[in-house]
Amino acid sequence: MSAVPPQIDTPEIMVDADALRRNIERMAAGVAAKGLALRPHAKTHKIPEIAALQLAAGAVGLTVATIGEAEVFAEHGAADLFIAYPLWVTERSGERLRRLAHRARVAVGTDSAEAARAMGAHLAGAEVEVLVEIDSGHHRSGVTPEQAVGVARAAADAGLRVAGVFTFPGHSYAPGMPAEAAEAERRALAESARLLAEAGFDVTRVSGGSTPSALLTEAGPTNEVRPGVYVFGDAQQLELGRCAPEDVALTVAATVVSRHEGSSDVPRRVVLDAGSKVLGGDRPGWATGFGRLADVPEARITGLSEHHATVVFPDGAALPALGERLRVVPNHVCVAVNLVDEVTVVSGGEIVDRWQVAARGRNR
Amino acid sequence: MSAVPPQIDTPEIMVDADALRRNIERMAAGVAAKGLALRPHAKTHKIPEIAALQLAAGAVGLTVATIGEAEVFAEHGAADLFIAYPLWVTERSGERLRRLAHRARVAVGTDSAEAARAMGAHLAGAEVEVLVEIDSGHHRSGVTPEQAVGVARAAADAGLRVAGVFTFPGHSYAPGMPAEAAEAERRALAESARLLAEAGFDVTRVSGGSTPSALLTEAGPTNEVRPGVYVFGDAQQLELGRCAPEDVALTVAATVVSRHEGSSDVPRRVVLDAGSKVLGGDRPGWATGFGRLADVPEARITGLSEHHATVVFPDGAALPALGERLRVVPNHVCVAVNLVDEVTVVSGGEIVDRWQVAARGRNR
């Protein structure tokens, strides 16, 4: 029996409202029990209804990646927003930030004296807090704890209010890495917070966390975590062991459009009508495929085109029939949601709502 | 000097109108010189203005991947559409196809007797042609030339008009493969067309081609090619040697937001504000990175997050300054365009237009 309601045309993103609520409550309770504040990353879902559930469950505010995302969530009532990104502020984006700061408490990231000065030039007098980004081992943006003091001084000299530090332990997204990344994050945040305090800064915000590491984080000096993916789960989190199959709250409904029993030189496979334009194309080297079938764990998505997923089945596993409707768990849920304008909300196998992905495509 | 006009906020997709026209004209002339019909794949651009340029240059019609894309281009005047996809037709999608067939000449793909019967059940009496999909070595959808006869018979028995065969040589997208894939395509199409003709079918459409193989295709029995990417070019085509740097007509304008001279254990890099949510996350194993910098060929995009591109520079190459604006060539242009609602059209360094990506997200 298909878990896809008959009213749905494929491919379509379905959100399981019950699993979603459980995920939101579990993370809220787990983070609260550690004495940490939870500031979920809303880039994962981009959906105001989900942000409202997170805030109702005790989140202190939202994390976003861009000014555009912040604008959307502020329009929908979010009162405390952290743009966890090293913004290069221009005259035009500075004007948007100033308007945003009239509606909500706003903090932004920075990781260089130059960016802090550009920010100061365009934000003078605005109520925007700055957090210095620390590189805790991911080697993307961010500075060392020692460099953070210079960045903070430049920000203060440019007239900005430095509130603390943040990091993103992106290297936690790999097998065996969450614990090591969480420890690297703890050390980097503790050291940078200590150096900033020694340099005379009033360090009130020490922010870390990702879905793999959030529940491994302990309070002090870290006082906040910013997981995103936990609301939905995805195939990466499943394969990292950071969520269970029953926790997966977002799947892509797909139809079998092509079916091949295979031969000695051609794989035994079906093709689904969900490709990279609805699943997203992310595939880390350690993943077993381009996503997973929710109800057939032994199948592997070995190829992904824009509108085709090629799913290979082992000998002995029955190939699904043509026209059969299956649920696919995307590898990386944040990029899947960003491909659609709305999602279908289901509960107990019935469609209960449709939600707009209001911040979809807000890349700047 | 930046090639990004000052009015543009980053990240933003820019289309170079002059390179675009040259690409459209070159492919039209090259295909016409071979005596082939050109039916460009519009999933690459999803933009009615570009479809109009292709048709004005002599394209016989458009290829699309979904009924939704076909609907958008039909609304904008396209009169001849091929949905080059093995559709599983339901009552609802059948109704949409019937309406579409009142506006435009419509053909669809099929690769099984079951799918052909489902199609026949919902399209009886509609003017929709069917092309049988052949697997010419990509091993995604499609059947062998021998199996094609059975599929065609099932389609005819279901009341459908079988017009011919098509294939997609997806394995042409790899180094050294275009010529081999083009030859495999030629053989598969010739054999299937011959078998269908022997079985009594009037084979009028024999359709192949992709951007890497289109200009390697010869007429007879193949009479049509369906390249898509050639309108823009992308980093994959650059690295396959199928386009030159000056042919690239689509780039993503990005700003340097983070800059690190590096050390013995940390790479020398900058971070751009264009991540996978505007570039797309595709990276085949043979690609040198997640896209290329248009003006710095020696740089490598070694990491891509949703809003960050990590660009590593070799020793000796100057790191761009913070705030500098650069142009990024996406790896796979079809998925990049699908991430934005509109693109900025530039010519001679000036903004001349903005085009809506009218068929963005039309996955079904």
Side-chain angles (χ1 to χ4, degrees):
Chain A
M1 200 192 72
S2 171
V4 177
Q7 300 91 336
I8 285 180
D9 292 325
T10 65
E12 167 75 358
I13 291 188
M14 303 192 299
V15 172
D16 181 316
D18 309 304
L20 177 76
R21 276 167 211 272
R22 286 196 304 272
N23 291 342
I24 288 172
E25 285 160 16
R26 186 189 308 118
M27 183 62 82
V31 168
K34 288 173 175 287
L36 292 162
L38 175 63
R39 184 182 291 278
H41 210 313
K43 75 175 164 61
T44 296
H45 55 73
K46 299 172 177 274
I47 295 173
E49 287 86 345
I50 296 180
L53 292 172
Q54 292 174 312
L55 293 165
V60 297
L62 298 177
T63 305
V64 293
T66 67
I67 299 173
E69 288 181 349
E71 288 167 340
V72 170
F73 287 104
E75 282 162 24
H76 286 84
D80 188 339
L81 293 156
F82 174 31
I83 305 172
Y85 193 86
L87 293 177
W88 182 263
V89 177
T90 62
E91 186 175 345
R92 288 192 293 267
S93 61
E95 180 54 34
R96 291 169 63 198
L97 279 169
R98 296 166 70 93
R99 281 200 301 270
L100 188 65
H102 286 298
R103 295 182 158 212
R105 181 187 183 202
V106 175
V108 302
T110 193
D111 81 347
S112 67
E114 294 90 330
R117 283 193 285 269
M119 210 174 269
H122 298 294
L123 293 180
E127 290 283 328
V128 175
E129 291 173 303
V130 175
L131 276 70
V132 179
E133 183 172 7
I134 309 300
D135 177 4
S136 56
H138 187 35
H139 304 330
R140 190 176 65 179
S141 44
V143 292
T144 63
E146 294 71 27
Q147 293 169 325
V149 176
V151 175
R153 284 212 176 99
D157 290 347
L160 300 165
R161 177 158 175 255
V162 178
V165 290
F166 78 107
T167 192
F168 173 65
H171 52 313
S172 62
Y173 288 76
M177 287 301 290
E180 186 177 324
E183 171 57 17
E185 169 187 274
R186 186 198 65 72
R187 274 186 276 116
L189 288 176
E191 180 67 0
S192 53
R194 185 182 68 77
L195 291 172
L196 254 63
E198 279 182 14
F201 289 95
D202 181 18
V203 179
T204 58
R205 300 177 66 169
V206 181
S207 177
S210 65
T211 291
S213 63
L215 291 176
L216 303 172
T217 303
E218 301 298 334
T222 303
N223 54 22
E224 169 182 287
V225 288
R226 308 185 315 278
V229 171
Y230 76 97
V231 287
F232 295 136
D234 59 21
Q236 288 186 172
Q237 299 302 319
L238 271 177
E239 296 197 349
L240 290 174
R242 307 312 295 183
C243 72
E246 62 271 22
D247 300 333
V248 173
L250 183 147
T251 54
V252 178
T255 298
V256 176
V257 296
S258 185
R259 181 182 190 275
H260 304 272
E261 281 291 352
S263 66
S264 56
D265 38 279
V266 176
R268 187 162 175 267
R269 68 197 189 279
V270 299
V271 174
L272 305 178
D273 62 357
S276 66
K277 280 181 173 168
V278 66
L279 291 169
D282 284 24
R283 182 182 178 180
W286 48 264
T288 64
F290 292 93
R292 298 290 289 254
L293 296 195
D295 305 303
V296 193
E298 66 272 30
R300 288 291 175 273
I301 303 180
T302 58
L304 201 65
S305 315
E306 290 159 61
H307 299 279
H308 307 69
T310 301
V311 191
V312 171
F313 286 70
D315 292 339
L319 280 189
L322 279 156
E324 194 169 327
R325 288 141 65 92
L326 302 170
R327 296 182 305 138
V328 185
V329 183
N331 262 351
H332 183 191
V333 76
C334 307
V335 295
V337 176
N338 188 50
L339 292 163
V340 298
D341 291 314
E342 55 180 19
V343 299
T344 296
V345 188
V346 296
S347 176
E350 300 287 327
I351 296 174
V352 295
D353 209 344
R354 288 183 74 78
W355 288 338
Q356 301 297 309
V357 185
R360 188 202 62 73
R362 298 297 298 256
N363 282 318
R364 54 178 181 256
Chain B
M1 200 192 70
S2 170
V4 177
Q7 301 90 336
I8 284 179
D9 291 325
T10 65
E12 167 76 358
I13 290 188
M14 302 192 299
V15 172
D16 181 316
D18 308 305
L20 176 76
R21 276 167 212 272
R22 286 196 305 271
N23 292 342
I24 288 172
E25 285 159 17
R26 186 188 309 118
M27 182 63 81
V31 168
K34 287 171 177 287
L36 293 162
L38 175 63
R39 184 182 290 278
H41 211 314
K43 73 174 164 64
T44 296
H45 54 72
K46 297 171 177 276
I47 294 174
E49 287 86 346
I50 296 179
L53 292 172
Q54 292 174 314
L55 292 165
V60 297
L62 299 177
T63 306
V64 294
T66 67
I67 299 173
E69 288 181 349
E71 288 167 340
V72 169
F73 287 105
E75 280 162 27
H76 286 86
D80 187 340
L81 293 157
F82 174 32
I83 306 172
Y85 193 85
L87 292 177
W88 181 263
V89 177
T90 63
E91 185 175 346
R92 288 193 293 267
S93 61
E95 179 55 34
R96 291 168 65 197
L97 279 170
R98 297 166 70 92
R99 280 201 301 270
L100 188 65
H102 286 297
R103 295 182 158 212
R105 180 186 183 203
V106 176
V108 302
T110 193
D111 80 348
S112 67
E114 294 91 329
R117 283 193 284 269
M119 209 174 269
H122 297 295
L123 292 180
E127 290 282 330
V128 175
E129 290 174 303
V130 175
L131 276 69
V132 179
E133 183 173 6
I134 310 299
D135 178 3
S136 56
H138 187 35
H139 304 330
R140 190 177 64 178
S141 44
V143 293
T144 63
E146 294 71 26
Q147 293 168 325
V149 177
V151 175
R153 285 212 176 100
D157 290 347
L160 299 165
R161 175 153 180 260
V162 177
V165 291
F166 78 107
T167 193
F168 173 66
H171 52 314
S172 62
Y173 287 76
M177 286 301 290
E180 185 178 325
E183 172 56 18
E185 170 186 276
R186 186 197 64 72
R187 276 186 276 115
L189 287 176
E191 180 67 0
S192 53
R194 184 181 68 76
L195 292 171
L196 254 64
E198 279 181 13
F201 289 94
D202 180 18
V203 179
T204 58
R205 299 176 68 169
V206 181
S207 176
S210 65
T211 291
S213 62
L215 292 176
L216 303 172
T217 303
E218 300 299 335
T222 305
N223 55 21
E224 169 183 287
V225 289
R226 309 185 314 279
V229 171
Y230 76 95
V231 287
F232 295 137
D234 59 21
Q236 289 186 174
Q237 300 302 321
L238 272 176
E239 295 198 350
L240 290 174
R242 307 312 297 181
C243 73
E246 61 272 22
D247 301 332
V248 172
L250 183 147
T251 54
V252 177
T255 299
V256 176
V257 296
S258 185
R259 181 182 189 276
H260 305 273
E261 282 291 352
S263 65
S264 55
D265 38 284
V266 176
R268 186 162 175 267
R269 69 198 188 278
V270 299
V271 174
L272 305 178
D273 62 357
S276 65
K277 281 182 173 167
V278 67
L279 291 169
D282 284 23
R283 183 184 176 178
W286 48 263
T288 63
F290 293 93
R292 300 289 290 253
L293 296 195
D295 305 304
V296 193
E298 66 273 28
R300 289 290 175 272
I301 303 179
T302 59
L304 201 64
S305 316
E306 291 158 60
H307 300 279
H308 306 70
T310 302
V311 191
V312 171
F313 286 71
D315 291 340
L319 280 188
L322 279 157
E324 193 167 333
R325 288 140 65 94
L326 302 170
R327 296 181 305 137
V328 184
V329 184
N331 263 351
H332 183 189
V333 77
C334 307
V335 296
V337 176
N338 188 50
L339 291 163
V340 297
D341 290 313
E342 54 180 21
V343 299
T344 296
V345 188
V346 297
S347 175
E350 300 287 326
I351 296 174
V352 294
D353 208 346
R354 287 182 74 78
W355 288 337
Q356 300 297 307
V357 186
R360 188 203 62 73
R362 299 297 298 256
N363 282 318
R364 52 176 183 258

